[in-house]
Amino acid sequence: MTGNIDLDQVLHTFIAEARELLEDMEAALLRVGGEADPRESINAIFRAAHTIKGSSGLFGLDAIVAFTHVAESVLDRAREGAVALDPALVALLLACGDYIGRMVDAVERAEPQADPGADPEGAALVQRLRVHLADEAVPATQSASASAAIDGGPARWHLSLRFGPDVLRNGMDPLSFIRYLATLGEIEQLVTLPDAVPGLDALEPEACCLGFEIAFLTRIDKAAIENVFEFVIDDCALRIVPPGSQVARYIELIESLPEGPRRLGEILVSCGSVTAHELETALHVQAASAPPRRIGAILADQGNVAPQVVEAALAKQKQFKEARGGESVRVDADKLDRLINLVGELVIATAGANLAAKRTRDLELIERNLTLAGLVEEVRDSALQLRMVKIGGTFNRFKRVVHDVARELGKDIELVVSGEDTELDKTVVEKIGDPLMHLVRNAIDHGIDSPERRAERGKPATGTLTLNALHDSGSIVIQVSDDGGGLDRERILAKALERGLVEPGRTMSDAEVHALIFEPGFSTAEHITNLSGRGVGMDVVRRNIEALRGNVAIASEPGRGTTVTVRLPLTLAIINGFQVGVGKSVFVVPMDVVDECIEFSCEPGQNYADLRGQVLPFIRLRDLFEVAGRPAGRQNIVVVKHAGQKFGLVVDALLGEAQTVIKPLSKMFAQVRGISGSSILGSGDVALILDVPLLMQGAQEARGIPALQAESLPAGH
Amino acid sequence: MGTTSSLLRIDGELTIYRATELAAAMRTALAGVADGDMLELDLSGVTEMDSAGVQLLLAARRSAIESGRALGLTARSAAVDDVLAILHLTALFGDTVAQTH
């Protein structure tokens, strides 16, 4: 062996790239229907499938190879124009992409490979793919052995066995392994190699020197074949060439065996694994170009992989990457998280150093510390930037959802995406997927009416679902809009009364009524479909979004459509905070909700202030958190704005703006309402970060409006 | 056939347990065969054969051919037939001999 590479690492890369390729394939499949000239997209789909097949082969992922091969063949026909990529075939190929994705997932979880021929789902897909293949001949690039792939029929494997000298002495009989193998399939051809058996004079009668070349027809997979030889594997060189392998793979086999190319070539031909012509051509080509031994060669040494196949596949992957444009480095998410954590600590330490410097009144030290603080801030921004990803990737996933769900419901829906370049923290992106998915499904299911209903209302038959993202003062705003029927105020109210969510006779604004759909157990769907409408949806969506320190609002116009607006922080790690003092405690208000600060003034006994003629409800933090001591002589109000409403927080001191690294609260404090996390100040003290949306509910209660939410904060008074 | 032949009859097991003993017997038998003549093995009494036995037959065949002699199997028990069939060796050993059963 020329070197040692970490196969796990390579496999990991394969998995990541296979997923990217599947995404590309899906994107191309989804756009192909709307294109005047779909050739480029069809090519892209074919290339993706082809590359996945090629690189799967490198890792002996034969189930993926076999399955993808069938899909690739269909795509090949589409490329030739022999098969039309109509919506039905697109749907089928999308399902195939999913299936390959699941096989890749299984590889990642190191699960044994399911044989798609045996798996009913895989077999059904192959069956449906075959319809498009008709009686197409086996593609020319395949060797003669590429017979029936996995359509339930057996596949043709080539096994090359060389038993070691100790096999017989260890009580193993090669013959019995072959007998056992024969029970698992059909030994179509077998050549016993007498080459290594010397004459009687030189023979050590108890040392085994037998070898076999076997053409084996079976339904079992590679692992199962290897299992046959499990007990003897240390003493036996076993090489397996999977069904449908390229001739190059046999060339490698020939080279790796001691018998010499001419002799083995004949044997392989006699096994029917390759044709004489293929062999000659391949050997000739190979002699002409001696390939450099690189990663492929090492791989080939470890597994039984032909260097040409490896090279070709790697080159293809490289090409593909280049085509994707832009240079990038793959970094482990864990490493990135560690960096962010360290930067967080650095920010805290810098704040501490600044404080200490100020106390010394040494101007130079203070100045230098400030320079340092400026740099740390830049480092923090760049580090956070590393974790920023565009939301476009998430949006694109919904193209698929819209396509599938609309099809299922018999609706015609177009997805319009805008703001896909808007960036947000990777951790936020990962967590927003599910809630968004629910909102999108909900919009398709409940929002957009059937084509007939739309026609009645004089709308175009094709409904439009819009996903939009934008940055707004330290938050990312994601909007899911539909041009459907809008929310039915009366029905929501009726349902809310029935469920006891509102008291009868109360007048409520439209916004308040609409907000009811986020209540637990609320669902207005008259027909429960299998997509949504189980009444578990919207409240879970709200809870998930709030767990990300975000919020969700809904706006709807009868007959015109509904827009759900999700507002999320850009990052979960560090915020710009506004520090306020109450007694000896320090609280942090996220800067992006702080509107202004005013001097506290109010009539005794009132819990609202006068903000330039407007009523401003407020909460006394001292009372809310039961801070000991008497209020300072001059108190202040921090006016915060959330979801279009303002309210005040009464505090003793305004301490100013500061970088705040968020540390989650331990589970012990999970019951504490109104606090979203903690942070360590430069002085080493702990500050609590206020959860403004929750406090606002408290403010509404204080104003005499019953909180809409089931769980509410104790009133501030 | 213009050749004369000697006969070696092997009974019982043709396996690893007797491989050394049988190899010696074959060597001796082959040494007694004149150039251009054939050593015939009568395997009708073989009750069991394993890979070691197969290997022994292959080695004997090579020795015979390399020394200008020939090796033939005049008679084979079902056990021998079975193994040769599995390993696709019937033709290799069968082409020099007439079946006796």
Side-chain angles (χ1 to χ4, degrees):
Chain A
M1 203 179 302
T2 51
N4 207 345
I5 58 163
D6 188 346
L7 267 181
D8 274 356
Q9 191 83 41
V10 182
L11 188 63
H12 191 77
T13 309
F14 158 74
I15 290 166
E17 284 177 3
R19 286 191 181 137
E20 279 174 17
L21 287 167
L22 285 171
E23 271 173 33
D24 292 344
M25 184 169 143
E26 186 174 298
L29 276 169
L30 290 169
R31 70 171 176 260
V32 76
E35 285 178 337
D37 180 6
R39 270 177 304 183
E40 189 39 51
S41 293
I42 294 177
N43 271 332
I45 301 164
F46 176 82
R47 276 198 308 270
H50 185 72
T51 310
I52 290 170
K53 187 182 97 171
S55 38
S56 304
L58 298 186
F59 294 95
L61 304 171
D62 301 316
I64 300 182
V65 174
F67 181 83
T68 315
H69 172 67
V70 184
E72 186 196 347
S73 306
V74 173
L75 286 165
D76 201 32
R77 303 245 314 156
R79 227 161 41 142
E80 294 162 1
V83 168
L85 264 186
D86 55 13
L89 183 54
V90 166
L92 172 60
L93 288 168
L94 285 169
C96 290
D98 290 347
Y99 188 72
I100 297 169
R102 283 199 292 282
M103 289 198 278
V104 172
D105 291 346
V107 171
E108 189 179 36
R109 293 192 300 266
E111 284 172 11
Q113 276 186 72
D115 176 7
D119 175 44
E121 192 188 352
L125 287 172
V126 168
Q127 201 91 49
R128 286 168 61 196
L129 285 171
R130 294 237 161 232
V131 173
H132 300 278
L133 280 177
D135 42 17
E136 177 77 343
V138 178
T141 53
Q142 298 297 316
S143 72
S145 69
S147 55
I150 47 161
D151 50 346
R156 194 177 191 288
W157 298 74
H158 187 92
L159 276 59
S160 181
L161 289 162
R162 296 293 179 276
F163 287 94
D166 294 330
V167 170
L168 293 169
R169 287 192 201 105
N170 290 343
M172 308 282 184
D173 186 357
L175 193 57
S176 44
F177 291 104
I178 291 168
R179 278 185 207 273
Y180 177 50
L181 186 70
T183 64
L184 300 174
E186 186 196 335
I187 293 182
E188 196 184 53
Q189 260 305 330
L190 183 148
V191 176
T192 303
L193 293 169
D195 304 58
V197 182
L200 283 172
D201 294 330
L203 180 73
E204 275 185 65
E206 290 176 1
C208 184
C209 30
L210 289 172
F212 303 93
E213 295 291 326
I214 302 169
F216 185 50
L217 278 173
T218 187
R219 287 164 210 266
I220 64 174
D221 64 8
K222 187 177 180 189
I225 294 176
E226 282 169 345
N227 281 344
V228 172
F229 300 97
E230 196 186 344
F231 293 114
V232 75
I233 204 70
D234 292 339
D235 264 337
C236 169
L238 167 65
R239 293 175 186 80
I240 300 178
V241 181
S245 291
Q246 312 269 325
V247 178
R249 204 128 176 203
Y250 289 100
I251 299 296
E252 164 65 16
L253 176 68
I254 290 170
E255 287 194 326
S256 67
L257 292 171
E259 281 86 1
R262 193 50 52 194
R263 168 94 177 100
L264 263 163
E266 284 163 20
I267 292 165
L268 290 178
V269 171
S270 77
C271 280
S273 296
V274 287
T275 67
H277 177 70
E278 281 171 341
L279 188 71
E280 200 157 314
T281 317
L283 280 171
H284 184 73
V285 168
Q286 214 205 0
S289 65
R293 283 177 73 80
R294 294 220 321 257
I295 176 175
I298 301 161
L299 262 178
D301 283 347
Q302 295 194 342
N304 316 325
V305 185
Q308 289 93 330
V309 181
V310 179
E311 292 278 337
L314 288 179
K316 251 199 211 110
Q317 286 203 345
K318 203 168 147 217
Q319 257 177 25
F320 221 93
K321 254 194 226 157
E322 278 161 9
R324 294 168 68 89
E327 277 186 36
S328 59
V329 184
R330 231 176 254 285
V331 180
D332 233 19
D334 291 347
K335 285 187 190 163
L336 214 49
D337 288 347
R338 181 164 159 69
L339 176 67
I340 303 278
N341 269 339
L342 284 174
V343 170
E345 299 295 336
L346 191 61
V347 169
I348 293 170
T350 314
N354 265 334
L355 262 175
K358 272 183 196 152
R359 257 181 248 127
T360 64
R361 294 174 191 269
D362 179 336
L363 270 185
E364 197 192 346
L365 185 62
I366 292 171
E367 208 165 290
R368 285 179 187 241
N369 259 305
L370 282 177
T371 315
L372 201 58
L375 285 170
V376 166
E377 208 166 294
E378 275 179 45
V379 168
R380 176 207 65 165
D381 288 345
S382 324
L384 285 179
Q385 198 63 42
L386 288 181
R387 254 197 345 195
M388 290 295 192
V389 292
K390 291 184 174 147
I391 200 166
T394 310
F395 278 3
N396 283 334
R397 289 213 329 247
F398 292 117
K399 285 188 181 157
R400 174 67 189 282
V401 175
V402 171
H403 174 271
D404 287 0
V405 176
R407 230 180 117 79
E408 199 172 314
L409 295 174
K411 294 179 182 177
D412 196 1
I413 297 172
E414 189 191 358
L415 178 70
V416 178
V417 169
S418 55
E420 56 267 68
D421 286 339
T422 311
E423 291 189 323
L424 73 166
D425 196 303
K426 186 173 164 293
T427 47
V428 183
V429 164
E430 281 163 5
K431 288 174 181 159
I432 194 61
D434 284 349
L436 272 187
M437 175 75 77
H438 209 98
L439 291 175
V440 166
R441 284 178 164 240
N442 222 56
I444 300 169
D445 201 6
H446 302 318
I448 295 178
D449 295 318
S450 62
E452 300 80 42
R453 188 82 192 275
R454 291 178 64 88
E456 278 170 33
R457 293 187 177 186
K459 289 182 184 178
T462 302
T464 306
L465 184 70
T466 312
L467 283 174
N468 182 32
L470 57 120
H471 278 155
D472 179 38
S473 58
S475 306
I476 181 165
V477 176
I478 302 168
Q479 290 170 318
V480 183
S481 322
D482 64 64
D483 66 345
L487 293 177
D488 187 334
R489 183 191 156 99
E490 295 315 313
R491 229 168 71 202
I492 295 172
L493 259 182
K495 185 62 108 341
L497 279 170
E498 183 191 314
R499 300 271 157 104
L501 295 170
V502 290
E503 297 144 31
R506 259 196 63 211
T507 43
M508 293 173 80
S509 71
D510 280 353
E512 283 167 329
V513 173
H514 294 157
L516 286 170
I517 70 163
F518 290 109
E519 290 304 300
F522 193 94
S523 171
T524 58
E526 277 159 0
H527 304 286
I528 289 178
T529 68
N530 62 348
L531 292 167
S532 50
R534 282 179 298 263
V536 291
M538 295 300 255
D539 61 313
V540 176
V541 170
R542 189 188 67 185
R543 230 181 337 187
N544 287 344
I545 289 171
E546 285 178 352
L548 295 172
R549 293 193 290 114
N551 61 70
V552 56
I554 192 161
S556 180
E557 219 179 307
R560 299 288 294 277
T562 307
T563 297
V564 178
T565 304
V566 176
R567 187 177 275 270
L568 290 166
L570 283 180
T571 171
L572 301 177
I574 300 177
I575 56 167
N576 258 330
F578 187 73
Q579 296 181 356
V580 296
V582 181
K584 281 180 183 157
S585 305
V586 177
F587 295 92
V588 177
V589 187
M591 198 61 204
D592 48 312
V593 300
V594 174
D595 204 40
E596 60 180 315
C597 298
I598 56 172
E599 199 180 332
F600 174 76
S601 66
C602 92
E603 301 297 316
Q606 280 181 357
N607 54 2
Y608 57 87
D610 175 12
L611 178 66
R612 292 182 292 275
Q614 301 270 316
V615 170
L616 180 75
F618 61 69
I619 296 171
R620 290 183 167 92
L621 287 188
R622 176 178 297 277
D623 295 349
L624 178 64
F625 295 112
E626 293 169 14
V627 179
R630 296 198 58 78
R634 285 178 68 156
Q635 295 187 84
N636 292 283
I637 294 180
V638 179
V639 180
V640 293
K641 195 173 167 184
H642 170 70
Q645 295 181 50
K646 286 181 183 179
F647 75 106
L649 299 169
V650 180
V651 301
D652 288 352
L654 304 173
L655 304 174
E657 199 181 331
Q659 295 294 317
T660 308
V661 180
I662 299 174
K663 304 268 174 194
L665 284 175
S666 83
K667 279 195 183 129
M668 218 170 95
F669 302 108
Q671 300 306 314
V672 179
R673 310 294 299 189
I675 299 293
S676 64
S678 66
S679 181
I680 298 164
L681 301 177
S683 59
D685 292 336
V686 173
L688 296 174
I689 300 167
L690 298 178
D691 186 341
V692 171
L694 265 172
L695 289 174
M696 174 164 278
Q697 289 166 218
Q700 279 166 339
E701 272 202 347
R703 216 167 123 203
I705 301 169
L708 296 171
Q709 281 74 17
E711 300 155 302
S712 64
L713 200 72
H717 231 352
Chain B
M1 267 191 260
T3 55
T4 52
S5 57
S6 320
L7 190 80
L8 175 67
R9 182 181 168 88
I10 297 172
D11 284 342
E13 281 183 27
L14 180 47
T15 65
I16 178 82
Y17 301 107
R18 294 177 62 202
T20 308
E21 168 207 334
L22 290 173
M26 286 186 193
R27 236 183 335 251
T28 313
L30 202 60
V33 176
D35 263 10
D37 283 354
M38 178 190 271
L39 172 64
E40 290 188 19
L41 296 180
D42 180 349
L43 304 181
S44 57
V46 170
T47 52
E48 197 185 338
M49 180 156 94
D50 68 0
S51 304
V54 172
Q55 197 169 282
L56 212 49
L57 294 182
L58 288 170
R61 183 172 179 273
R62 165 167 289 197
S63 287
I65 291 168
E66 281 174 359
S67 60
R69 301 172 176 90
L71 180 81
L73 308 185
T74 48
R76 303 181 299 223
S77 67
V80 175
D81 268 342
D82 178 41
V83 170
L84 293 185
I86 289 172
L87 299 184
H88 293 238
L89 288 172
T90 313
L92 189 73
F93 287 108
D95 54 1
T96 54
V97 82
Q99 289 283 106
T100 53
H101 65 133

